[in-house]
Amino acid sequence: MGDVSNATVSSLPSTDRPDVAARLRAALLGADFTADGLLDLLGAPAYAALARSETVPALRATRGDTPLETLVRLFLLQQPVPHARAAEVLPTEECLESGWLTRVGGDEVAATVDVRPYGGPDGEDWFIVSDLGCAVGGAGGIGSRDESVVLGVGGASTTLAGITVRTPVASALDLGTGSGIQALHAAQHATRVTATDLNPRALHITALTLALSGAPAADLREGSLFEPLKDSETYDLIVSNPPFVISPGARLTYRDGGMGGDDLCRSLVQGAGDRLNEGGFAQFLANWQHVEGEDWQDRIRSWVPRGCDAWVVQREVQDVTQYAELWLRDAGDHREDPAEYQARYDAWLDEFEARKVRAVGFGWITLRRTAAAEPSVTVEEWPHPIEQPLGETIRAHFARLDYLREHDDAALLDGHFRLVTEVVQEQVGLPGAEDPEHVVLRQNRGMRRATRVDTVGAGFAGVCDGTLSAGRILDAIAQLMGEDSVVLRDRTPAQIRLLVEQGFLEPAG
């Protein structure tokens, strides 16, 4: 990584001793220093308080001298512990030599990094390493103003991990890896993982996260966005939780894009198309501007690279004052000099006013490389509750797009469909009325969508079990309702397409 990198990571544990990381991992697991172990030790209230960066309940719950209490105080609460007590739990001398621990005071040791237990999707016991005081839910929270700080697991990290498509792939790329959370997930289903970051400290910490979690090492490269990649390199999966915050300048590397407005997110999305293999997915979290006189959906559509299907979901919108306050508080500016806080707030609003930005959206962007003549681009707002993980829901969405592209209305009527599991029907109307005013189909999993259907649509969905073709079902409905089956066959395919596209129906077989 060069001299600059060495200077940047000099205070971190060494990555040259995988044997020490393995022994440290074994010691942590042996003491039940896991996500479940923490919950059992601390109890739900103290555990929840820790997630809010409130440490007093956790300190009270770890006043004993059990191995787990010692590890929680050492690695999560950043409290020095007696050397003798640490030696009962850890390979202390090796941890001191390799930099996981440091001597403090007369006869105490302290951790040099945050280490937070993190449960994998299949029950794996992983550990996320981050800078001291920067494990989300750790001793200090994330209110750091050090530009090179490396954060731990946050809501954005877990959101991206949850929406990522987890099919086995040959190659995966984690852009802006941070503490290595996405690379750690990718290592479970990708043969080869490449992780990049502008911050060499982040790459070092990613290596520690992978080693301490017992995961294969990744190919770590320093640089911004796609710059560290060779011209010919392509991937089956690209993920990124980038520094998407739209701010006046790039004061904090871990969060601020450093380009004007939402240009970093736009560049990331536009550049991903050429880096994807056929059928490959690129998935990002992003912020985008809502500009006066411009449709935000059109703005995002313009980002989508050629040759890619896209599904963009806007999860939240904040006006510019809410947005500025959120990120000023994130950096702890509200606790500093009031005049400086006001000046920074003014700078944010000046930036937004100059760009005619009225609000900022947050959401997910998924691209899939396709050979289709007319790629599909769906941009929608969905602020409602969902059920994570959504990776399989997202994969199935694009599979249904392929099916609908390949089937015209005649082929659709020849097709067989099943009502997706967990879909329920609701009838809405006045009490005692003979017929409902309308019928709603509702998903209880995944995106948890709800859609209104007419009597034909409700009847059609209700009997879809894969046995009869769509056309045969419509003929039966026409006979029951006394309608012309030809007319019904002509007007219903559009409703069937919508139900398939939104995931209420799935092709059978």
Side-chain angles (χ1 to χ4, degrees), residues 8 13 46 50 67 117 127 149 198 214 219 238 256 295 442 457 472 500 503:
T8 305
L50 191 61
F127 300 98
V149 73
L198 184 64
D219 178 6
I238 300 173
D256 296 331
D295 186 327
R442 186 179 302 277
R472 290 281 300 279
V500 172

Side-chain angles (χ1 to χ4, degrees), residues 101-113:
L101 300 176
T102 186
R103 295 183 185 274
V104 294
D107 191 28
E108 292 184 316
V109 296
T112 58
V113 287

Side-chain angles (χ1 to χ4, degrees), residues 59 62-64 69-87 90 96 100-113 132 139:
L59 286 167
T62 57
R63 288 181 290 193
E69 287 171 300
T70 298
L71 293 176
V72 171
R73 293 180 71 86
L74 187 62
F75 286 114
L76 269 187
L77 303 177
Q78 280 83 66
Q79 300 296 308
V81 302
H83 182 285
R85 182 181 297 176
L90 299 169
L96 286 166
W100 289 95
L101 300 176
T102 186
R103 295 183 185 274
V104 294
D107 191 28
E108 292 184 316
V109 296
T112 58
V113 287
L132 287 174

Side-chain angles (χ1 to χ4, degrees), residues 150-168:
V150 180
L151 303 187
V153 183
S157 304
T158 54
T159 294
L160 179 58
I163 68 172
T164 300
V165 176
R166 296 296 176 194
T167 52

Side-chain angles (χ1 to χ4, degrees), residues 9-23:
V9 304
S10 59
S11 61
L12 295 173
S14 171
T15 58
D16 297 332
R17 293 292 305 274
D19 57 320
V20 175
R23 281 193 278 278

Side-chain angles (χ1 to χ4, degrees), residues 363-379:
W364 326 316
I365 299 175
T366 299
L367 307 177
R368 186 191 59 166
R369 191 75 186 176
T370 179
E374 295 185 14
S376 168
V377 177
T378 301
V379 182

